[in-house]
Every structure is written in C-alpha cells, then in structure tokens.
Amino acid sequence: MTNNLGKAEREAIVSKVMTTVEMKHFDPQFNKDRWRTLVEERRADIIASDTSAGFESSLADLVRVVGTPDSGFFHESTRKKVPKGLAARFQYCQPNECAPAYTQPSDAGDVLISKVADGVGWLKVTKFPGAVGVDIAKQIDRGIQELEGCDRLIIDLRGNAGGGLAFLRVMSYLTPERLPVGYSVTRARAETNYSKETLTAFDRIPSQKAALILLALKFGFRDDSVSIVTEGLGAKPFHGKTVLLVDRSTTGAGERIAAFAQERNLAPVVGEQTAGRLICCSIFKISHGYYVRIPARAWYTWRGELLEGKGVGPDFPASRGLPELADSQLDRALDLVEKL
C-alpha cells in the first residue's frame, strides 16, 4: 500500500522531485526555467489529488513531460524490485522496461544459437539481464563455443530489449583487441571540462559474481560516468566475417553494439533503422518510499555521436516482410556473410 500523505508532505515531495530533475537530468542544456514554471503551474492540482494513486499518477505525468516516455514517479510498493547499489548505477535499462512499446518479453531463452548454413553460425541475444550480467555473459560464451567450426557469424539483435553491461561481451566477440567503445556521462560530469580518456573504464565482465564487490569498490564512490572498452578476447575465426541483424525494435544495448560495429568497421549492419532509445533512466530516491525515474546519463559513441532519438541506420536495408513468408532479413544477412 502507498502512503496517504498530508499536504505538507506532498509539497515537500513535489519540491524534491523538482530539484532532482533539475540537477540530474542528463542534458546540460536542460531548460530549468521552463521546468520550474511547469511545476508551479501544476503544483496545486498535484498536491490536491483526492487519492495517493492520483497524486502519484499526476506527478509521474509531470516528470514525463521533460524526460522520456520511460520517465516517471512511483512508490516502491508498486515495483517488484527497486535497483540499489551497483545495480542502480549500471543497470542501463531493465529489459523491456525502457522501451515497452518497442520490445516484448522473449518466449525462449535470452541466448539462442543455430547453424544456418555450412560454416555459418547464428547467435541471437534477446536481452541483457542483470546490472553487470555475469550469467548472461556465460550464456553468450557457451553459445559461441557450441558454434565451434563456424568461420562466419550472424549476430541477431532484432527486438533486443536492452539491459545492463553484458552488451560488452557481444562487442568483445567482434574484435580481438581492446578497443574503446563509447562512454556514458552524467549531468554533473557533462557540465565540466572532462576528457573521455580519463573516465573510469569498464573493460571486463567478471567470471564470478564474487568479483562484483571489486567493481563496487572501483565504481561505487565516484561519479557514475564511465567509458566502455572491449575485453580483448583474442582472435576468432569469424572476425571480419560477421554480420549484425537489427530492426526497428532493437533498443539500448543492441543499438550500442550496432553503433560500435559500424564505427569501427567490424561488421556490416543489416535490417532496419533502430529505435533510437539508448538513454535509459536512473532511479533516485525521494522520500516516504517514493522514487523518480529520469534520463540521467547520456550515451555517446567513442567518436562522440549521440544517437538518442536517431538510432542506427543499417548498411544494408532489409524489411521484415510478411509474417507468413520466410525471414527475408536473415536471408539477406546470410547472403552477405557468405560473401565476406
């Protein structure tokens, strides 16, 4: 049950939400005056809401005006789990949460594999659950191992629902080297004369969950800005002979992977323009069990491109085709990878 609050408590909550959005929204050009005016225009009606549900709903609507469709305001009793600690800092997006209109829960597992032709492997990753993703990274490793003997690879990111940092493992299978991928910066860091090269680097997914405490020590007492660097997994037979598949429902982590592949010329991208939903929301505690969700960290490619609202365009466009027909996008990817 949510709290039945008095007028003074509601007023304090509205003020705290206003301040949090003003200070934490990812955009240094955020229009503070417009936001303050908007709050004051709605403040009286929000505070006078007849029920707790009405109060929460009206305040959530206010936050979404200046955030994203995924932004909002909620009570902890309405959530199965509110991320805390390391998860709160590095959960780029709960799978299916940051773009529910684009993505759908997968019926099968998170990692699917097949040999679609002689020497051609197919690896599909539907989402990246977990803040760091130790388990999903192991599933990806097993998938690659089971495709042994394939010297060409199709990585299928269509409908990828986003998630945490485990997208790094897929990126790391695109190159033998340790390469900078991109970087995520908070509002506070963006307003300084920062250098991407000096950001704390996340460059390895640990093999055991016990190692997460070391990550907490490394990242837990500083600004949440971070650069991403591939893990250096060594040469693979499919390097230079890999194709990525994306579509309009590819979001977040899937888009970061596609952008990295394009920027580094590691693999051609086949399919449709992606959703352009890379900046996921962070959760900030307000009071009385309430939280606000707002976009708080911008994501840039290593060359400094902000893809939010734009997405990643395919190198080789391919429509999805009619449901009753064969998978034309996969056929296009297969034809291309066999020529690499």
Side-chain angles (χ1 to χ4, degrees):
M1 295 292 292
T2 55
N3 293 315
N4 291 313
L5 303 173
K7 180 180 177 181
E9 292 167 317
R10 288 187 176 189
E11 287 180 339
I13 288 172
V14 172
S15 295
K16 181 66 178 296
V17 168
M18 181 179 73
T19 302
T20 301
V21 173
E22 187 175 305
M23 296 180 62
K24 298 293 186 179
H25 191 281
F26 82 93
D27 185 5
Q29 305 303 316
F30 181 72
N31 192 328
K32 296 180 182 179
D33 291 335
R34 175 177 174 268
W35 167 239
R36 291 171 184 168
T37 300
L38 189 61
V39 173
E40 294 311 317
E41 288 175 349
R42 299 192 184 186
R43 179 189 288 268
D45 289 339
I46 292 172
I47 292 171
S49 298
D50 292 336
T51 64
S52 292
F55 171 71
E56 294 161 20
S57 177
S58 57
L59 195 44
D61 289 341
L62 172 64
V63 172
R64 278 191 286 270
V65 171
V66 294
T68 66
D70 320 310
S71 304
F73 174 80
F74 64 93
H75 192 269
E76 61 187 357
S77 64
T78 65
R79 294 294 184 98
K80 292 182 179 179
K81 183 178 181 181
V82 178
K84 294 181 175 65
L86 196 67
R89 299 172 74 90
F90 293 107
Q91 189 75 44
Y92 276 84
C93 185
Q94 286 282 357
N96 303 112
E97 184 178 30
C98 286
Y102 291 82
T103 61
Q104 296 179 357
S106 57
D107 294 329
D110 298 327
V111 178
L112 309 173
I113 63 166
S114 178
K115 293 185 179 180
V116 293
D118 185 28
V120 181
W122 172 80
L123 174 78
K124 181 175 179 65
V125 184
T126 66
K127 57 182 179 289
F128 296 94
V132 178
V134 174
D135 292 335
I136 189 68
K138 289 180 179 180
Q139 290 182 43
I140 294 167
D141 290 341
R142 286 195 293 270
I144 292 294
Q145 291 166 7
E146 291 180 26
L147 292 174
E148 185 178 1
C150 294
D151 60 0
R152 285 171 169 78
L153 183 64
I154 296 172
I155 299 177
D156 194 339
L157 300 171
R158 291 176 295 178
N160 185 277
L165 286 167
F167 64 82
L168 176 60
R169 184 56 50 89
V170 173
M171 291 175 171
S172 297
Y173 274 119
L174 293 174
T175 173
E177 304 173 81
R178 295 175 60 83
L179 295 176
V181 169
Y183 52 102
S184 177
V185 291
T186 63
R187 167 74 168 277
R189 182 61 65 89
E191 291 177 336
T192 68
N193 187 26
Y194 75 94
S195 167
K196 62 187 179 183
E197 287 82 8
T198 62
L199 297 176
T200 304
F202 181 83
D203 56 6
R204 186 179 69 86
I205 299 172
S207 58
Q208 302 295 330
K209 291 184 178 180
L212 294 178
I213 190 171
L214 298 178
L215 288 180
L217 292 173
K218 180 178 180 180
F219 294 100
F221 302 98
R222 62 182 73 209
D223 180 85
D224 289 352
S225 302
V226 63
S227 67
I228 305 295
V229 180
T230 55
E231 299 173 279
L233 300 180
K236 306 297 177 186
F238 47 78
H239 282 161
K241 294 177 286 185
T242 298
V243 169
L244 297 188
L245 261 176
V246 299
D247 66 6
R248 69 191 71 174
S249 61
T250 302
T251 63
E255 296 184 90
R256 296 186 192 100
I257 295 167
F260 171 62
Q262 278 190 336
E263 192 167 271
R264 295 288 186 171
N265 295 313
L266 297 172
V269 177
V270 174
E272 300 170 308
Q273 189 88 12
T274 63
R277 304 284 292 254
L278 291 89
I279 298 178
C280 290
C281 293
S282 295
I283 294 175
F284 299 96
K285 188 173 183 179
I286 301 301
S287 64
H288 296 85
Y290 285 109
Y291 293 80
V292 66
R293 271 176 57 90
I294 55 171
R297 288 175 294 163
W299 171 266
Y300 295 91
T301 70
W302 195 247
R303 292 178 184 169
E305 187 172 7
L306 182 67
L307 295 171
E308 184 70 13
K310 181 169 62 174
V312 179
D315 300 301
F316 297 89
S319 61
R320 288 187 280 187
L322 299 174
E324 63 269 20
L325 300 179
D327 189 339
S328 58
Q329 291 176 330
L330 182 57
D331 290 342
R332 183 72 178 92
L334 180 59
D335 179 66
L336 180 60
V337 79
E338 289 179 331
K339 296 176 180 177
L340 294 178

mmCIF file of all heavy atoms in Angstrom, residues 196-235:
data_model
loop_
_atom_site.group_PDB
_atom_site.id
_atom_site.type_symbol
_atom_site.label_atom_id
_atom_site.label_comp_id
_atom_site.label_asym_id
_atom_site.label_seq_id
_atom_site.Cartn_x
_atom_site.Cartn_y
_atom_site.Cartn_z
ATOM 1 N N LYS A 196 37.060 12.174 -22.243
ATOM 2 C CA LYS A 196 36.565 10.800 -22.253
ATOM 3 C C LYS A 196 37.668 9.810 -21.902
ATOM 4 O O LYS A 196 37.413 8.745 -21.341
ATOM 5 C CB LYS A 196 35.968 10.454 -23.619
ATOM 6 C CG LYS A 196 36.959 10.530 -24.776
ATOM 7 C CD LYS A 196 36.277 10.343 -26.120
ATOM 8 C CE LYS A 196 37.280 10.443 -27.261
ATOM 9 N NZ LYS A 196 36.643 10.348 -28.587
ATOM 10 N N GLU A 197 38.904 10.158 -22.237
ATOM 11 C CA GLU A 197 40.024 9.266 -21.956
ATOM 12 C C GLU A 197 40.301 9.108 -20.460
ATOM 13 O O GLU A 197 40.953 8.141 -20.049
ATOM 14 C CB GLU A 197 41.297 9.777 -22.646
ATOM 15 C CG GLU A 197 41.322 9.603 -24.151
ATOM 16 C CD GLU A 197 40.553 10.715 -24.883
ATOM 17 O OE1 GLU A 197 40.140 11.687 -24.198
ATOM 18 O OE2 GLU A 197 40.377 10.616 -26.106
ATOM 19 N N THR A 198 39.837 10.038 -19.649
ATOM 20 C CA THR A 198 40.103 9.969 -18.210
ATOM 21 C C THR A 198 38.954 9.350 -17.424
ATOM 22 O O THR A 198 39.062 9.203 -16.206
ATOM 23 C CB THR A 198 40.385 11.375 -17.655
ATOM 24 O OG1 THR A 198 39.224 12.206 -17.841
ATOM 25 C CG2 THR A 198 41.575 12.008 -18.359
ATOM 26 N N LEU A 199 37.860 8.983 -18.097
ATOM 27 C CA LEU A 199 36.744 8.357 -17.400
ATOM 28 C C LEU A 199 37.157 6.964 -16.918
ATOM 29 O O LEU A 199 37.941 6.274 -17.579
ATOM 30 C CB LEU A 199 35.534 8.235 -18.329
ATOM 31 C CG LEU A 199 34.923 9.545 -18.841
ATOM 32 C CD1 LEU A 199 33.792 9.244 -19.822
ATOM 33 C CD2 LEU A 199 34.430 10.403 -17.693
ATOM 34 N N THR A 200 36.637 6.553 -15.798
ATOM 35 C CA THR A 200 36.897 5.205 -15.303
ATOM 36 C C THR A 200 36.366 4.191 -16.308
ATOM 37 O O THR A 200 35.233 4.305 -16.781
ATOM 38 C CB THR A 200 36.215 4.991 -13.945
ATOM 39 O OG1 THR A 200 36.657 6.001 -13.041
ATOM 40 C CG2 THR A 200 36.554 3.624 -13.373
ATOM 41 N N ALA A 201 37.188 3.218 -16.659
ATOM 42 C CA ALA A 201 36.843 2.276 -17.729
ATOM 43 C C ALA A 201 36.255 0.986 -17.180
ATOM 44 O O ALA A 201 36.796 0.397 -16.233
ATOM 45 C CB ALA A 201 38.066 1.966 -18.573
ATOM 46 N N PHE A 202 35.153 0.576 -17.769
ATOM 47 C CA PHE A 202 34.625 -0.770 -17.531
ATOM 48 C C PHE A 202 35.089 -1.608 -18.713
ATOM 49 O O PHE A 202 34.676 -1.386 -19.845
ATOM 50 C CB PHE A 202 33.098 -0.757 -17.446
ATOM 51 C CG PHE A 202 32.509 -2.112 -17.178
ATOM 52 C CD1 PHE A 202 32.433 -2.606 -15.886
ATOM 53 C CD2 PHE A 202 32.040 -2.908 -18.213
ATOM 54 C CE1 PHE A 202 31.908 -3.866 -15.624
ATOM 55 C CE2 PHE A 202 31.508 -4.159 -17.967
ATOM 56 C CZ PHE A 202 31.437 -4.636 -16.674
ATOM 57 N N ASP A 203 35.970 -2.580 -18.453
ATOM 58 C CA ASP A 203 36.614 -3.299 -19.553
ATOM 59 C C ASP A 203 36.647 -4.814 -19.360
ATOM 60 O O ASP A 203 37.362 -5.507 -20.081
ATOM 61 C CB ASP A 203 38.050 -2.796 -19.743
ATOM 62 C CG ASP A 203 38.891 -2.905 -18.468
ATOM 63 O OD1 ASP A 203 38.398 -3.467 -17.463
ATOM 64 O OD2 ASP A 203 40.035 -2.423 -18.475
ATOM 65 N N ARG A 204 35.861 -5.311 -18.414
ATOM 66 C CA ARG A 204 35.839 -6.766 -18.217
ATOM 67 C C ARG A 204 34.604 -7.162 -17.427
ATOM 68 O O ARG A 204 34.306 -6.562 -16.395
ATOM 69 C CB ARG A 204 37.093 -7.234 -17.472
ATOM 70 C CG ARG A 204 37.210 -8.751 -17.350
ATOM 71 C CD ARG A 204 38.480 -9.135 -16.624
ATOM 72 N NE ARG A 204 38.426 -8.766 -15.216
ATOM 73 C CZ ARG A 204 37.894 -9.539 -14.259
ATOM 74 N NH1 ARG A 204 37.361 -10.726 -14.578
ATOM 75 N NH2 ARG A 204 37.888 -9.151 -13.001
ATOM 76 N N ILE A 205 33.915 -8.157 -17.919
ATOM 77 C CA ILE A 205 32.821 -8.759 -17.158
ATOM 78 C C ILE A 205 33.413 -9.904 -16.348
ATOM 79 O O ILE A 205 33.993 -10.830 -16.923
ATOM 80 C CB ILE A 205 31.720 -9.282 -18.096
ATOM 81 C CG1 ILE A 205 31.141 -8.131 -18.913
ATOM 82 C CG2 ILE A 205 30.613 -9.970 -17.291
ATOM 83 C CD1 ILE A 205 30.185 -8.578 -19.993
ATOM 84 N N PRO A 206 33.327 -9.859 -15.046
ATOM 85 C CA PRO A 206 33.954 -10.919 -14.237
ATOM 86 C C PRO A 206 33.295 -12.266 -14.484
ATOM 87 O O PRO A 206 32.123 -12.353 -14.857
ATOM 88 C CB PRO A 206 33.738 -10.438 -12.801
ATOM 89 C CG PRO A 206 32.584 -9.508 -12.868
ATOM 90 C CD PRO A 206 32.652 -8.848 -14.207
ATOM 91 N N SER A 207 34.057 -13.316 -14.257
ATOM 92 C CA SER A 207 33.535 -14.669 -14.464
ATOM 93 C C SER A 207 32.759 -15.184 -13.257
ATOM 94 O O SER A 207 31.984 -16.133 -13.376
ATOM 95 C CB SER A 207 34.686 -15.636 -14.775
ATOM 96 O OG SER A 207 35.631 -15.635 -13.713
ATOM 97 N N GLN A 208 32.961 -14.557 -12.115
ATOM 98 C CA GLN A 208 32.274 -14.982 -10.890
ATOM 99 C C GLN A 208 31.593 -13.787 -10.232
ATOM 100 O O GLN A 208 32.124 -12.677 -10.221
ATOM 101 C CB GLN A 208 33.279 -15.607 -9.896
ATOM 102 C CG GLN A 208 34.039 -16.797 -10.457
ATOM 103 C CD GLN A 208 33.125 -17.973 -10.764
ATOM 104 O OE1 GLN A 208 32.099 -18.165 -10.104
ATOM 105 N NE2 GLN A 208 33.502 -18.766 -11.752
ATOM 106 N N LYS A 209 30.427 -14.025 -9.650
ATOM 107 C CA LYS A 209 29.695 -12.939 -9.008
ATOM 108 C C LYS A 209 30.416 -12.389 -7.784
ATOM 109 O O LYS A 209 30.187 -11.247 -7.384
ATOM 110 C CB LYS A 209 28.297 -13.414 -8.632
ATOM 111 C CG LYS A 209 27.402 -13.656 -9.840
ATOM 112 C CD LYS A 209 25.997 -14.026 -9.433
ATOM 113 C CE LYS A 209 25.111 -14.221 -10.651
ATOM 114 N NZ LYS A 209 23.724 -14.590 -10.285
ATOM 115 N N ALA A 210 31.311 -13.209 -7.203
ATOM 116 C CA ALA A 210 32.056 -12.732 -6.038
ATOM 117 C C ALA A 210 32.914 -11.516 -6.382
ATOM 118 O O ALA A 210 33.208 -10.686 -5.522
ATOM 119 C CB ALA A 210 32.937 -13.855 -5.493
ATOM 120 N N ALA A 211 33.284 -11.407 -7.660
ATOM 121 C CA ALA A 211 34.129 -10.293 -8.084
ATOM 122 C C ALA A 211 33.360 -8.988 -8.174
ATOM 123 O O ALA A 211 33.956 -7.918 -8.357
ATOM 124 C CB ALA A 211 34.777 -10.612 -9.432
ATOM 125 N N LEU A 212 32.037 -9.052 -8.061
ATOM 126 C CA LEU A 212 31.247 -7.827 -8.148
ATOM 127 C C LEU A 212 31.579 -6.853 -7.034
ATOM 128 O O LEU A 212 31.432 -5.643 -7.190
ATOM 129 C CB LEU A 212 29.752 -8.164 -8.125
ATOM 130 C CG LEU A 212 29.213 -8.942 -9.331
ATOM 131 C CD1 LEU A 212 27.738 -9.242 -9.145
ATOM 132 C CD2 LEU A 212 29.438 -8.177 -10.625
ATOM 133 N N ILE A 213 32.042 -7.372 -5.898
ATOM 134 C CA ILE A 213 32.399 -6.482 -4.805
ATOM 135 C C ILE A 213 33.588 -5.597 -5.191
ATOM 136 O O ILE A 213 33.675 -4.436 -4.776
ATOM 137 C CB ILE A 213 32.707 -7.285 -3.512
ATOM 138 C CG1 ILE A 213 32.825 -6.322 -2.331
ATOM 139 C CG2 ILE A 213 33.979 -8.124 -3.658
ATOM 140 C CD1 ILE A 213 32.903 -7.022 -0.992
ATOM 141 N N LEU A 214 34.477 -6.129 -6.037
ATOM 142 C CA LEU A 214 35.602 -5.324 -6.509
ATOM 143 C C LEU A 214 35.128 -4.216 -7.434
ATOM 144 O O LEU A 214 35.659 -3.097 -7.407
ATOM 145 C CB LEU A 214 36.620 -6.223 -7.236
ATOM 146 C CG LEU A 214 37.260 -7.317 -6.375
ATOM 147 C CD1 LEU A 214 38.209 -8.169 -7.223
ATOM 148 C CD2 LEU A 214 38.013 -6.697 -5.195
ATOM 149 N N LEU A 215 34.126 -4.528 -8.249
ATOM 150 C CA LEU A 215 33.559 -3.491 -9.105
ATOM 151 C C LEU A 215 32.881 -2.413 -8.266
ATOM 152 O O LEU A 215 32.957 -1.225 -8.579
ATOM 153 C CB LEU A 215 32.550 -4.104 -10.080
ATOM 154 C CG LEU A 215 33.114 -4.948 -11.219
ATOM 155 C CD1 LEU A 215 31.975 -5.475 -12.081
ATOM 156 C CD2 LEU A 215 34.090 -4.137 -12.065
ATOM 157 N N ALA A 216 32.219 -2.848 -7.200
ATOM 158 C CA ALA A 216 31.570 -1.882 -6.324
ATOM 159 C C ALA A 216 32.593 -0.948 -5.701
ATOM 160 O O ALA A 216 32.354 0.262 -5.559
ATOM 161 C CB ALA A 216 30.777 -2.612 -5.237
ATOM 162 N N LEU A 217 33.755 -1.477 -5.340
ATOM 163 C CA LEU A 217 34.806 -0.643 -4.778
ATOM 164 C C LEU A 217 35.398 0.287 -5.823
ATOM 165 O O LEU A 217 35.743 1.430 -5.539
ATOM 166 C CB LEU A 217 35.914 -1.532 -4.188
ATOM 167 C CG LEU A 217 35.527 -2.341 -2.947
ATOM 168 C CD1 LEU A 217 36.651 -3.294 -2.575
ATOM 169 C CD2 LEU A 217 35.190 -1.416 -1.782
ATOM 170 N N LYS A 218 35.485 -0.192 -7.072
ATOM 171 C CA LYS A 218 36.076 0.599 -8.148
ATOM 172 C C LYS A 218 35.157 1.741 -8.576
ATOM 173 O O LYS A 218 35.612 2.854 -8.834
ATOM 174 C CB LYS A 218 36.383 -0.299 -9.345
ATOM 175 C CG LYS A 218 37.004 0.440 -10.530
ATOM 176 C CD LYS A 218 37.335 -0.523 -11.670
ATOM 177 C CE LYS A 218 37.951 0.222 -12.854
ATOM 178 N NZ LYS A 218 38.274 -0.707 -13.972
ATOM 179 N N PHE A 219 33.846 1.452 -8.660
ATOM 180 C CA PHE A 219 32.912 2.431 -9.206
ATOM 181 C C PHE A 219 31.971 3.053 -8.171
ATOM 182 O O PHE A 219 31.291 4.027 -8.485
ATOM 183 C CB PHE A 219 32.051 1.772 -10.288
ATOM 184 C CG PHE A 219 32.819 1.339 -11.510
ATOM 185 C CD1 PHE A 219 33.185 0.012 -11.682
ATOM 186 C CD2 PHE A 219 33.169 2.251 -12.479
ATOM 187 C CE1 PHE A 219 33.885 -0.392 -12.810
ATOM 188 C CE2 PHE A 219 33.868 1.857 -13.609
ATOM 189 C CZ PHE A 219 34.228 0.535 -13.777
ATOM 190 N N GLY A 220 31.914 2.459 -6.996
ATOM 191 C CA GLY A 220 30.842 2.815 -6.076
ATOM 192 C C GLY A 220 30.981 4.139 -5.362
ATOM 193 O O GLY A 220 30.023 4.593 -4.750
ATOM 194 N N PHE A 221 32.140 4.776 -5.415
ATOM 195 C CA PHE A 221 32.323 6.005 -4.636
ATOM 196 C C PHE A 221 32.754 7.176 -5.512
ATOM 197 O O PHE A 221 33.499 8.041 -5.092
ATOM 198 C CB PHE A 221 33.369 5.767 -3.532
ATOM 199 C CG PHE A 221 32.996 4.641 -2.612
ATOM 200 C CD1 PHE A 221 33.537 3.376 -2.794
ATOM 201 C CD2 PHE A 221 32.077 4.835 -1.590
ATOM 202 C CE1 PHE A 221 33.184 2.324 -1.955
ATOM 203 C CE2 PHE A 221 31.724 3.791 -0.749
ATOM 204 C CZ PHE A 221 32.271 2.530 -0.934
ATOM 205 N N ARG A 222 32.243 7.173 -6.755
ATOM 206 C CA ARG A 222 32.599 8.247 -7.659
ATOM 207 C C ARG A 222 31.424 8.548 -8.572
ATOM 208 O O ARG A 222 30.404 7.889 -8.525
ATOM 209 C CB ARG A 222 33.829 7.860 -8.491
ATOM 210 C CG ARG A 222 33.621 6.632 -9.381
ATOM 211 C CD ARG A 222 34.897 6.292 -10.142
ATOM 212 N NE ARG A 222 35.890 5.706 -9.263
ATOM 213 C CZ ARG A 222 37.204 5.804 -9.446
ATOM 214 N NH1 ARG A 222 37.666 6.489 -10.455
ATOM 215 N NH2 ARG A 222 38.043 5.224 -8.621
ATOM 216 N N ASP A 223 31.582 9.549 -9.389
ATOM 217 C CA ASP A 223 30.566 9.890 -10.364
ATOM 218 C C ASP A 223 30.281 8.679 -11.254
ATOM 219 O O ASP A 223 31.164 7.871 -11.532
ATOM 220 C CB ASP A 223 31.088 11.055 -11.213
ATOM 221 C CG ASP A 223 30.114 11.501 -12.271
ATOM 222 O OD1 ASP A 223 29.241 12.305 -11.963
ATOM 223 O OD2 ASP A 223 30.241 11.022 -13.413
ATOM 224 N N ASP A 224 29.031 8.540 -11.691
ATOM 225 C CA ASP A 224 28.621 7.355 -12.450
ATOM 226 C C ASP A 224 29.094 7.351 -13.897
ATOM 227 O O ASP A 224 28.816 6.402 -14.632
ATOM 228 C CB ASP A 224 27.090 7.232 -12.442
ATOM 229 C CG ASP A 224 26.558 6.835 -11.069
ATOM 230 O OD1 ASP A 224 27.378 6.515 -10.190
ATOM 231 O OD2 ASP A 224 25.331 6.843 -10.896
ATOM 232 N N SER A 225 29.783 8.383 -14.344
ATOM 233 C CA SER A 225 30.290 8.406 -15.714
ATOM 234 C C SER A 225 31.306 7.290 -15.916
ATOM 235 O O SER A 225 32.107 6.990 -15.028
ATOM 236 C CB SER A 225 30.939 9.757 -16.016
ATOM 237 O OG SER A 225 30.022 10.813 -15.831
ATOM 238 N N VAL A 226 31.284 6.678 -17.088
ATOM 239 C CA VAL A 226 32.143 5.522 -17.331
ATOM 240 C C VAL A 226 32.407 5.383 -18.821
ATOM 241 O O VAL A 226 31.570 5.759 -19.654
ATOM 242 C CB VAL A 226 31.474 4.227 -16.782
ATOM 243 C CG1 VAL A 226 30.170 3.936 -17.512
ATOM 244 C CG2 VAL A 226 32.412 3.034 -16.844
ATOM 245 N N SER A 227 33.582 4.894 -19.169
ATOM 246 C CA SER A 227 33.864 4.518 -20.556
ATOM 247 C C SER A 227 33.824 3.001 -20.661
ATOM 248 O O SER A 227 34.044 2.289 -19.671
ATOM 249 C CB SER A 227 35.224 5.050 -21.011
ATOM 250 O OG SER A 227 36.279 4.413 -20.302
ATOM 251 N N ILE A 228 33.520 2.520 -21.857
ATOM 252 C CA ILE A 228 33.429 1.085 -22.100
ATOM 253 C C ILE A 228 34.528 0.676 -23.069
ATOM 254 O O ILE A 228 34.698 1.310 -24.127
ATOM 255 C CB ILE A 228 32.048 0.704 -22.684
ATOM 256 C CG1 ILE A 228 30.924 1.199 -21.776
ATOM 257 C CG2 ILE A 228 31.955 -0.804 -22.887
ATOM 258 C CD1 ILE A 228 30.873 0.566 -20.423
ATOM 259 N N VAL A 229 35.267 -0.374 -22.718
ATOM 260 C CA VAL A 229 36.384 -0.850 -23.539
ATOM 261 C C VAL A 229 36.246 -2.359 -23.708
ATOM 262 O O VAL A 229 35.957 -3.075 -22.738
ATOM 263 C CB VAL A 229 37.747 -0.528 -22.877
ATOM 264 C CG1 VAL A 229 38.904 -1.033 -23.729
ATOM 265 C CG2 VAL A 229 37.873 0.978 -22.631
ATOM 266 N N THR A 230 36.424 -2.853 -24.922
ATOM 267 C CA THR A 230 36.275 -4.289 -25.156
ATOM 268 C C THR A 230 37.316 -5.088 -24.384
ATOM 269 O O THR A 230 38.374 -4.588 -24.018
ATOM 270 C CB THR A 230 36.354 -4.632 -26.655
ATOM 271 O OG1 THR A 230 37.581 -4.121 -27.205
ATOM 272 C CG2 THR A 230 35.178 -4.040 -27.404
ATOM 273 N N GLU A 231 37.015 -6.372 -24.175
ATOM 274 C CA GLU A 231 37.750 -7.191 -23.220
ATOM 275 C C GLU A 231 39.034 -7.805 -23.773
ATOM 276 O O GLU A 231 39.839 -8.332 -23.011
ATOM 277 C CB GLU A 231 36.830 -8.320 -22.719
ATOM 278 C CG GLU A 231 35.593 -7.792 -22.013
ATOM 279 C CD GLU A 231 34.613 -8.893 -21.686
ATOM 280 O OE1 GLU A 231 33.852 -9.296 -22.591
ATOM 281 O OE2 GLU A 231 34.608 -9.360 -20.528
ATOM 282 N N GLY A 232 39.219 -7.774 -25.075
ATOM 283 C CA GLY A 232 40.422 -8.385 -25.645
ATOM 284 C C GLY A 232 40.392 -9.895 -25.538
ATOM 285 O O GLY A 232 41.283 -10.507 -24.929
ATOM 286 N N LEU A 233 39.384 -10.529 -26.131
ATOM 287 C CA LEU A 233 39.199 -11.977 -26.007
ATOM 288 C C LEU A 233 40.038 -12.788 -26.993
ATOM 289 O O LEU A 233 39.990 -14.012 -26.982
ATOM 290 C CB LEU A 233 37.710 -12.327 -26.196
ATOM 291 C CG LEU A 233 36.740 -11.677 -25.202
ATOM 292 C CD1 LEU A 233 35.307 -12.106 -25.512
ATOM 293 C CD2 LEU A 233 37.103 -12.040 -23.776
ATOM 294 N N GLY A 234 40.811 -12.116 -27.826
ATOM 295 C CA GLY A 234 41.664 -12.830 -28.768
ATOM 296 C C GLY A 234 40.982 -13.100 -30.102
ATOM 297 O O GLY A 234 39.787 -12.868 -30.282
ATOM 298 N N ALA A 235 41.764 -13.604 -31.042
ATOM 299 C CA ALA A 235 41.285 -13.822 -32.409
ATOM 300 C C ALA A 235 40.251 -14.945 -32.463
ATOM 301 O O ALA A 235 40.379 -15.960 -31.781
ATOM 302 C CB ALA A 235 42.457 -14.133 -33.318
#
